[in-house]
């Protein structure tokens, strides 16, 4: 089976863009992905896979062709919907197509417009990714669901609300370096822990924003990729689980994340200790702590210690969410997973600007759907 590479990647800024449409946002992301691949000929793209939830109900049917045709790509297009993991799965589908030999170049990406609906409507559209009968229709929000997970974690392990805040403070500091970030400002530990309570114990600073945005990644075969400008997709793993948290055996882990990571590590013949930089799915601060443990960066119950010791700071042993993460960079649902890969591609090819880290060879992207009904982990490796 042949190798697959990221040969170009681009995204829009994440934020609120009342003058943009989902089509124009995606077209911009595609344009930037092609430009990053030294003006790669769009006519060489064989097919496309696009992730979106379809917030607001705009063009739910055939939204994939709607955006690719607008972007000037007249290619077979598949839409993927796996809640917040939609474009992470789109990247995985692109890798499968390239590795199988069915395509030489696949564009994978995603988009979402979330800020042009009311708060109540946004809550509805976010809620459709939770378990419908026993969570959404009984009034449970995702903030409430992750608050339950946070409460269980704080009760079980040596962790406090301040530890949740440490993740938020770190990611805001990183987001302040990112011109594409929705919330490009820093915050203090006191501000994060003392913020307005959204769902106890989660404060406003522990919750990601609702964002507009798009991201696109060019996945190509070894016959197309030029090693100096490419990052090899060393491994990709995916897993599904019960959609409702109450249906699972644990509130202090996302089993789908652990299973997806195990599959990705096995494919890549790598392990957690090989990872130099990671973009993890921190829709709420507790999700970042759970990710550390599910991805094997530390043992169960030790995530807070990693934060306290500065291990995951940008100058630490394992920088996590140097883009700002979902918390500060933003979370346009369908674009998030591809956006993580965009950041890793930039880091591994030396294109991250003020965010650039030194000596990064292996990057990990971790993308979760809902509260853990789906997860995908992608490992990228710099070409030496």
């Amino acid at each position: 089976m042949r190798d697959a590479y990221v040969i170009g990647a681009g995204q829009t800024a994440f934020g609120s863009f009342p003058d943009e449409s989902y089509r124009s946002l995606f077209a911009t992301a595609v344009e930037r992905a092609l430009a990053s691949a030294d003006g790669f000929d769009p006519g060489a793209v064989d097919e496309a896979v696009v992730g979106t939830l379809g917030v607001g109900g705009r063009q739910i049917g055939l939204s994939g062709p709607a955006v690719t045709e607008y972007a000037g790509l007249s290619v077979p297009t598949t839409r993927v919907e796996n809640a917040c993991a939609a474009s992470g799965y789109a990247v995985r589908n692109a890798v499968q197509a390239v590795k199988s030999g069915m395509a030489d170049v696949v564009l994978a990406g995603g988009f979402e417009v979330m800020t042009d609906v009311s708060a109540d409507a946004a809550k509805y559209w976010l809620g459709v990714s939770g378990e419908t009968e026993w969570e959404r229709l009984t009034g449970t929000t995702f903030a409430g669901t992750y608050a339950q997970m946070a409460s269980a974690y704080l009760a079980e392990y040596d962790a406090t609300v301040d530890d949740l805040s440490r993740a938020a403070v770190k990611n805001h500091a990183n987001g302040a370096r990112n011109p594409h970030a929705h919330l490009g400002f820093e915050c203090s530990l006191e501000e994060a822990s003392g913020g307005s309570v959204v769902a106890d114990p989660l404060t406003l600073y522990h919750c990601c924003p609702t964002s507009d945005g798009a991201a696109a990644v060019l996945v190509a075969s070894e016959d197309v990729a030029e090693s100096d400008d490419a990052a090899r997709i060393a491994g990709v793993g995916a897993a599904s689980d019960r959609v409702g948290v109450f249906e699972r055996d644990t509130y202090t882990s996302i089993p789908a994340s652990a299973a997806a990571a195990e599959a990705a590590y096995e494919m890549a013949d790598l392990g957690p200790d090989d990872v130099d930089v990671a973009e993890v799915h921190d829709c709420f601060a507790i999700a970042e702590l759970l990710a550390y443990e599910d991805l094997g960066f530390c043992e169960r119950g030790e995530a807070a210690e990693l934060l306290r010791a500065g291990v995951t700071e940008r100058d630490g042993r394992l920088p996590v969410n140097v883009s700002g993460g979902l918390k500060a960079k933003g979370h346009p649902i369908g674009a998030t997973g591809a956006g993580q890969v965009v950041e890793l591609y930039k880091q591994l090819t030396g294109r991250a600007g003020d965010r650039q880290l030194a000596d990064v060879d292996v990057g990990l992207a971790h993308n979760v759907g809902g509260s853990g009904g789906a997860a995908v982990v992608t490992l990228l490796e710099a070409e030496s």
Side-chain angles (χ1 to χ4, degrees):
M1 189 177 294
R2 61 185 183 170
D3 278 337
Y5 294 80
V6 176
I7 63 169
Q11 66 165 85
T12 65
F14 289 176
S16 177
F17 307 110
D19 295 330
E20 299 280 358
S21 70
Y22 70 98
R23 287 182 170 97
S24 65
L25 287 169
F26 190 76
T28 297
V30 171
E31 179 183 356
R32 291 175 179 174
L34 293 168
S36 75
D38 295 327
F40 189 82
D41 179 9
V45 176
D46 296 313
E47 60 180 277
V49 189
V50 179
T52 182
L53 178 64
V55 170
R58 60 181 62 76
Q59 195 58 50
I60 291 180
L62 294 177
S63 57
V67 294
T68 53
E69 289 288 341
Y70 187 87
L73 298 174
S74 295
V75 296
T77 301
T78 303
R79 175 200 172 185
V80 176
E81 186 284 295
N82 242 354
C84 318
S87 60
Y89 269 80
V91 171
R92 177 177 180 263
N93 288 3
V95 172
Q96 290 176 319
V98 168
K99 279 184 167 291
S100 72
M102 289 191 68
D104 282 319
V105 182
V106 181
L107 183 127
F111 66 87
E112 213 73 62
V113 173
M114 305 174 68
T115 64
D116 64 346
V117 297
S118 68
D120 285 344
K123 185 166 61 176
Y124 167 83
W125 281 102
L126 288 168
V128 299
S129 298
E131 203 284 330
T132 301
E133 292 177 288
W134 299 102
E135 287 183 347
R136 182 172 66 82
L137 293 182
T138 58
T140 302
T141 64
F142 271 119
T145 299
Y146 276 91
Q148 293 175 57
M149 298 162 80
S151 295
Y153 190 92
L154 299 187
E156 185 170 346
Y157 297 119
D158 179 22
T160 67
V161 170
D162 277 353
D163 293 314
L164 302 178
S165 297
R166 286 184 175 90
V169 170
K170 170 182 67 69
N171 294 342
H172 270 286
N174 291 339
R177 292 173 171 261
N178 188 351
H180 288 142
H182 189 166
L183 304 179
F185 57 84
E186 298 188 31
C187 68
S188 68
L189 188 67
E190 293 73 23
E191 287 172 326
S193 291
S196 301
V197 174
V198 175
D200 188 46
L202 301 179
T203 74
L204 184 63
Y205 285 87
H206 299 150
C207 308
C208 71
T210 54
S211 312
D212 306 335
V217 176
L218 287 167
V219 179
S221 71
E222 56 199 25
D223 298 327
V224 174
E226 296 181 7
S227 60
D228 291 344
D229 300 312
R232 188 172 77 93
I233 300 173
V236 60
S240 298
D241 198 359
R242 293 183 178 273
V243 175
V245 175
F246 70 93
E247 299 175 294
R248 302 178 206 149
D249 293 332
T250 177
Y251 273 60
T252 57
S253 169
I254 294 179
S257 293
E262 182 179 359
Y265 289 139
E266 182 177 354
M267 178 185 288
D269 194 23
L270 296 169
D273 292 341
D274 296 308
V275 177
D276 299 311
V277 59
E279 289 287 307
V280 308
H281 198 94
D282 63 320
C283 48
F284 299 91
I286 182 59
E288 179 160 333
L289 275 71
L290 300 185
Y292 293 174
E293 299 173 13
D294 290 331
L295 299 171
F297 297 158
C298 64
E299 297 298 322
R300 295 291 172 193
E302 295 182 358
E305 182 53 39
L306 255 62
L307 284 162
R308 296 170 192 166
V311 171
T312 57
E313 298 281 347
R314 62 173 288 108
D315 59 354
R317 175 177 57 80
L318 175 57
V320 174
N321 287 340
V322 292
S323 70
L326 283 63
K327 177 63 199 74
K329 182 184 179 183
H331 185 26
I333 292 176
T336 291
Q340 293 175 325
V341 176
V342 172
E343 178 66 24
L344 294 181
Y345 170 76
K346 290 180 178 180
Q347 290 290 344
L348 294 174
T349 58
R351 304 178 184 206
D354 290 343
R355 300 187 310 287
Q356 185 63 52
L357 302 171
D359 302 321
V360 287
D361 294 315
V362 177
L364 180 149
H366 160 252
N367 190 201
V368 174
S371 59
V376 57
V377 171
T378 306
L379 287 162
L380 274 66
E381 194 170 42
E383 288 292 281
S384 56

